[in-house]
Amino acid sequence: MNNDVLSAVINVDVKGPTISRHLYGHFAEHLGRCIYGGFYVGEDSDIPNAGGIRLDVVEALRALNIPNLRWPGGCFADEYHWMDGIGPKDRRPAMVNTHWGNVEENNHFGTHEFMALCELLGAEPYINGNVGSGTVKEMSDWVEYLTRDGDSPMVRLRKANGRDEPWRVRFWGIGNEAWGCGGNMTAQHYADEARRYATFCRDHGGNRLHRIAAGANSDDYAWTETLMKTLGHLGCARRPGGFFQALSLHYYTIPGTWDDKGDATVFGTDDYYRTMVQAARTDELLTGHSNVMDCYDPTKTVGLVMDEWGTWWNVEPGTDPGFLHQQNTLRDALVASLHFDIFHRHAARLVMANIAQTVNVLQAMILTDPDSGALVLTPTYHVFEMNKGHQDAASLRVDLLSDVPAREVGTDTLATVSLSASRKDDRMLISLSNLDAADAADVELDLRGGRVEEVTSRILTAGSLQTCNTPETPAAVAPRPHDQVKSTGTVLRVHLPAHSFVTVEGRLA
Ligand code: AHR
């Protein structure tokens, strides 16, 4: 047993960088059952829907304050031709989704359906354009179709398809994974292409695009450096008229190999710790890419967008290998809670993050049963819900006064307690994860510069790390009140059972 108490100080009156709500962003690709059967069931479905969009999915995501949704991919984005997805559905041409299962895509979920989904969710759209197999004109026309007011060829087409008013679309991806499925380009070639594409993605009327260049894979710092050299100075990010406002980064938590990533639900303690070591690498990666960006952009005007992250396991037995359908256990929840602590610490540079993916694919929030249609909220969903108070809050620095409990995992050391804190007006939210599979931990937080009152706490844990939610046991992993928090007003003592995620909230006086 580990009986040491971790001591830390939080200066509640010293506000750090704002934690953008967009760090809690999402991703929906035309992949497996994410769109069809997940978000979209069609107007004739028995499942309650609005224009084919599942209303129970919408309700569940609204409860997370879902800030944005990235679409249509991923790899799919670079073979998607948006004009195939507008107009009467029975006249939309089909295509083959060559990346994901080689299935036919009927294009029934297209631009108008996606924008309707975002409106129902109250989420900002993040559209990823096609550089790999598209043209500059195609991307330029899409921006015009979506965002231009008044009269123009694309505006007339949009109006003919039933939408008079332009939409507001800020987030715009210039290709995806250009180093791989997005065209297998070199960094320099992509950077030059991206300049051309971005030039013709215009700011129409009052719409200001936030152009996101397709960034690095994992620890490819050279890619980030090339983009910063070639695009960074064009950025003048967040300044109207700049060509680039952000670069992306993709990193998945995979403790095995690409050929055998490990099973989502059948795993041992060693597999678990290896997973957490891989998840914790996100801190090293964000630090590394931020350091490169700092060299070219010390005032942090270009944002970093981690628009694909999360666990990637072997697919569930019996499902299409190209559909990336996986279960989600308490282990996935702890991967998510650890990521959020890391994201909060990098809030000065990291402006957006999108977990992959929202429904039925990879580390999903929601799983829907293909036969009964039943909807299940995953353990990961609950971390997003418990943490939503951090959205747009000021981060609070946590200074450790004692050593963090740790475990040796092969040649790595895993800190087994992770925490982060924020405040919004007079509300404080502290998130704490105990990653230890077996031992409880106690944390003593010395709050300086203020007192906390009306303290409440919730916990997410289960009998085992392998526990997951299913249609038969939908609440096997669900938050419940946590009564093991003691407060003097200026000192909080929090007990963390083994493999648990705890949030503590209070009013600052
Ligand atoms: O999220 C699944 C895939 O992972 C995306 O399509 C791609 O961008 C990444 O390789």
Side-chain angles (χ1 to χ4, degrees):
M1 288 288 286
N2 182 346
N3 290 319
D4 294 343
V5 176
L6 172 63
S7 303
V9 169
I10 302 178
N11 291 296
V12 298
D13 56 347
V14 182
K15 293 184 186 171
T18 299
I19 297 167
S20 169
R21 66 182 182 283
H22 293 294
L23 299 189
Y24 286 81
H26 286 269
F27 174 29
E29 180 164 13
H30 287 241
L31 194 178
R33 295 190 306 107
C34 182
I35 298 291
Y36 301 108
F39 278 105
Y40 185 80
V41 286
E43 287 162 34
D44 299 333
S45 172
D46 292 339
I47 296 170
N49 67 83
I53 296 166
R54 263 186 93 136
L55 288 174
D56 53 358
V57 168
V58 168
E59 187 189 352
L61 294 174
R62 283 185 70 92
L64 300 182
N65 293 347
I66 176 173
N68 69 65
L69 185 62
R70 177 174 180 240
W71 173 84
C75 294
F76 181 77
D78 280 298
E79 65 177 357
Y80 181 64
H81 300 283
W82 69 273
M83 283 220 185
D84 294 347
I86 55 172
K89 291 198 174 96
D90 57 358
R91 281 193 246 144
R92 295 185 191 176
M95 63 176 282
V96 178
N97 188 335
T98 60
H99 284 294
W100 306 119
N102 267 306
V103 292
E104 194 167 289
E105 160 67 54
N106 64 16
N107 276 309
H108 283 191
F109 188 92
T111 298
H112 289 252
E113 291 75 22
F114 173 66
M115 296 307 293
L117 170 61
C118 289
E119 283 176 354
L120 288 169
L121 292 170
E124 280 200 55
Y126 168 10
I127 294 187
N128 211 116
N130 178 347
V131 170
S133 69
T135 63
V136 171
K137 175 167 169 32
E138 184 181 11
M139 197 187 290
S140 169
D141 282 349
W142 202 4
V143 175
E144 181 183 323
Y145 185 90
L146 282 155
T147 62
R148 194 174 172 90
D149 205 354
D151 189 32
S152 80
M154 287 301 119
V155 172
R156 286 195 288 279
L157 184 58
R158 185 185 72 225
K159 288 184 177 175
N161 288 325
R163 171 80 187 196
D164 285 347
E165 296 301 312
W167 288 283
R168 179 169 179 266
V169 180
R170 272 203 300 163
F171 303 125
W172 197 269
I174 311 287
N176 170 70
E177 296 193 351
W179 39 264
C181 65
N184 283 305
M185 300 178 208
T186 63
Q188 191 60 57
H189 179 77
Y190 168 71
D192 292 337
E193 282 291 293
R195 286 169 71 129
R196 202 160 65 91
Y197 274 77
T199 305
F200 297 97
C201 289
R202 308 286 191 196
D203 287 342
H204 292 283
N207 191 70
R208 293 276 171 270
L209 288 179
H210 193 92
R211 297 169 192 79
I212 300 165
N217 180 29
S218 185
D219 59 359
D220 187 353
Y221 301 118
W223 186 280
T224 296
E225 177 146 33
T226 302
L227 294 197
M228 289 305 293
K229 266 188 203 158
T230 315
L231 311 174
H233 62 287
L234 300 175
C236 310
R238 302 171 205 164
R239 198 179 76 189
F243 284 124
F244 282 95
Q245 286 70 36
L247 314 177
S248 66
L249 166 67
H250 290 180
Y251 174 66
Y252 285 95
T253 296
I254 302 171
T257 62
W258 277 103
D259 288 336
D260 183 10
K261 303 176 198 71
D263 198 283
T265 55
V266 182
F267 57 89
T269 309
D270 288 351
D271 300 320
Y272 165 71
Y273 282 126
R274 271 202 302 274
T275 305
M276 301 319 290
V277 165
Q278 291 305 315
R281 260 197 92 203
T282 299
D283 194 24
E284 168 201 320
L285 297 175
L286 290 176
T287 302
H289 288 284
S290 299
N291 286 345
V292 173
M293 294 174 80
D294 282 350
C295 295
Y296 296 89
D297 173 37
T299 54
K300 297 188 178 14
T301 58
V302 177
L304 184 58
V305 167
M306 194 167 181
D307 53 13
E308 289 188 29
W309 68 273
T311 56
W312 193 326
W313 308 119
N314 296 335
V315 297
E316 283 302 302
T319 63
D320 188 321
F323 282 13
L324 310 188
H325 181 70
Q326 63 189 43
Q327 244 300 357
N328 193 294
T329 66
L330 179 62
R331 173 175 64 166
D332 294 83
L334 293 173
V335 166
S337 65
L338 178 59
H339 271 80
F340 284 127
D341 289 338
I342 296 168
F343 290 170
H344 298 164
R345 284 198 290 278
H346 286 273
R349 177 67 81 175
L350 191 69
V351 295
M352 190 195 288
N354 305 71
I355 192 166
Q357 300 188 5
T358 316
V359 189
N360 289 334
V361 169
L362 298 178
Q363 192 176 351
M365 307 297 107
I366 293 171
L367 301 176
T368 65
D369 189 279
D371 302 319
S372 67
L375 175 149
V376 167
L377 303 178
T378 66
T380 301
Y381 173 94
H382 294 301
V383 173
F384 275 69
E385 191 279 318
M386 291 167 75
N387 256 9
K388 69 183 177 187
H390 289 302
Q391 292 188 21
D392 288 338
S395 55
L396 295 175
R397 216 174 77 191
V398 178
D399 289 307
L400 302 177
L401 300 183
S402 59
D403 289 342
V404 188
R407 291 225 176 229
E408 298 309 315
V409 184
T411 53
D412 293 291
T413 303
L414 173 72
T416 52
V417 173
S418 170
L419 66 159
S420 63
S422 71
R423 74 174 289 175
K424 191 157 32 172
D425 303 323
D426 65 349
R427 303 299 304 173
M428 179 172 66
L429 175 61
I430 305 170
S431 298
L432 307 102
S433 299
N434 181 7
L435 308 180
D436 201 288
D439 290 347
D442 288 284
V443 179
E444 194 166 275
L445 298 170
D446 184 356
L447 306 182
R448 301 197 183 153
R451 289 179 58 79
V452 66
E453 294 173 352
E454 300 161 18
V455 173
T456 59
S457 178
R458 289 195 293 164
I459 184 166
L460 189 75
T461 189
S464 76
L465 281 157
Q466 290 77 7
T467 310
C468 57
N469 295 335
T470 66
E472 294 73 38
T473 56
V477 189
R480 50 191 165 78
H482 185 49
D483 58 9
Q484 295 182 57
V485 178
K486 292 198 180 71
S487 171
T488 65
T490 54
V491 176
L492 285 171
R493 190 165 173 129
V494 188
H495 179 70
L496 304 172
H499 52 75
S500 66
F501 173 59
V502 167
T503 52
V504 180
E505 291 190 69
R507 188 173 66 79
L508 289 169

